[in-house]
Amino acid sequence: MSPYRKFIFICNGSDCKKAGCKKLQSEIKDLVKSHEYQGKYKLIKTKCMDFCKSAPSVIIQNELIKKADLDSIKKKMG
């Protein structure tokens, strides 16, 4: 049986796209594929999560990260 994977939800709404979610999504995808996190996380793209004023929005382990960047995501991943 494979180990339990945690989910990373990234908003792909129009405001998040304007705020750079596509670049962030690519960075997260590379991070998740890295040796340290391989098989532990799964990236899931979502539609608008209604946190438009604080875009880009990411949810990791039931915690919302507003104005997300790669450093804040790494902190939550542990």
Side-chain angles (χ1 to χ4, degrees), residues 4 16-17 21 33-34 41 52 55:
Y4 174 75
C16 285
K17 284 181 183 174
C21 80
K33 288 181 180 179
S34 71
Y41 289 90
C52 301

Side-chain angles (χ1 to χ4, degrees), residues 41-58:
Y41 289 90
K42 179 165 179 65
L43 181 64
I44 298 174
K45 298 180 275 186
T46 68
K47 293 184 179 183
C48 183
M49 291 195 272
D50 287 335
F51 296 107
C52 301
K53 298 221 187 269
S54 55
S57 301
V58 176

